Amino acid sequence: MRIRATVAAVTGALALSALAVPAVQAADGGIGRPTAAERFGVSRSAMSTSAAAEELPVVSKVTVNGAKDIVLGTTAAKKFTVSVTASHSAGIQDAYIDLWHGKDVDNIDGWFPPNEETASCTAVNATTSTCKLTVTVVPGSDLYMNSLAGTWHVAAAVFAADETGSTYWNDFYGTHRVQRLSKLTVNAAPEPVKKGKTITVTGKLTRANWETRKYAGYSTQPVKLQFRKKNSSTYTTVKTVKTNTKGDLKTTLKATVDGYFRWSYAGTSTTPAVNAAGDFVDVK
């Protein structure tokens, strides 16, 4: 395609494992990623050079989405940047990064390919470059089932600017989290309230359902009720309440001073942390 490289110089037993993955829909219904040969236009007959005979590119850093979790709701697509910094004595010609989900490269059920055919590489010096690509993810399409939330694999490949195009390829370079967007509401009543009287605080914790494209209650989750006084900027946890089967929250407490109540959820590996906006209660 664009690399006149020998895809032979690889790193470790896991590198080049993508060569076993079909470029089209797998026979068992899984998702197939392109092989190195199909991605970079290199024939299998060219893959004969011993890795020991070549100087391999050295990857020093891979960054996905600014090192932040990838969080998606029910409809809006998310576009983010991925980058790899690598070195070779002849310099760096190109790079490739994708994210994939599955127990191994032969059983992939989710794949985020880069948007571009060629990475944008900026030289740090004569031997080192940082190469960037973008990835766009669409709920309901790329994320077509809720079980795709959680930990994804990050694959990284780098192509040197030497005569043979020495190549680093590792499908298991790192991992990154993909999460279902969460929402949290709060309501404290009555407002105003007499000091010493009972305040009822309700709320609801929901998260994106990529299969129905709607938000649904997140059940049996521990959520903290927090309070801050009117002239304070710090919230203090009052108690912890679990959501019911519909994601609803409810508790009561005595009114003491003016201030703001909010619910605060710590999150899980599949669902990000979220705080409700504070609801002010005027205590008379």
Side-chain angles (χ1 to χ4, degrees), residues 19 39 86 91 101 148 184 191 207 230 233:
L19 296 177
R39 171 74 188 184
H101 187 271
L148 291 175
L184 189 55
E191 303 172 46
R207 61 174 177 167
K230 181 178 180 180
S233 60

Side-chain angles (χ1 to χ4, degrees), residues 259-284:
Y260 298 83
F261 286 95
R262 75 174 186 185
W263 293 105
S264 178
Y265 178 58
T268 65
S269 61
T270 63
T271 309
V274 62
N275 292 321
D279 187 24
F280 181 74
V281 174
D282 182 13
V283 179
K284 299 295 186 179

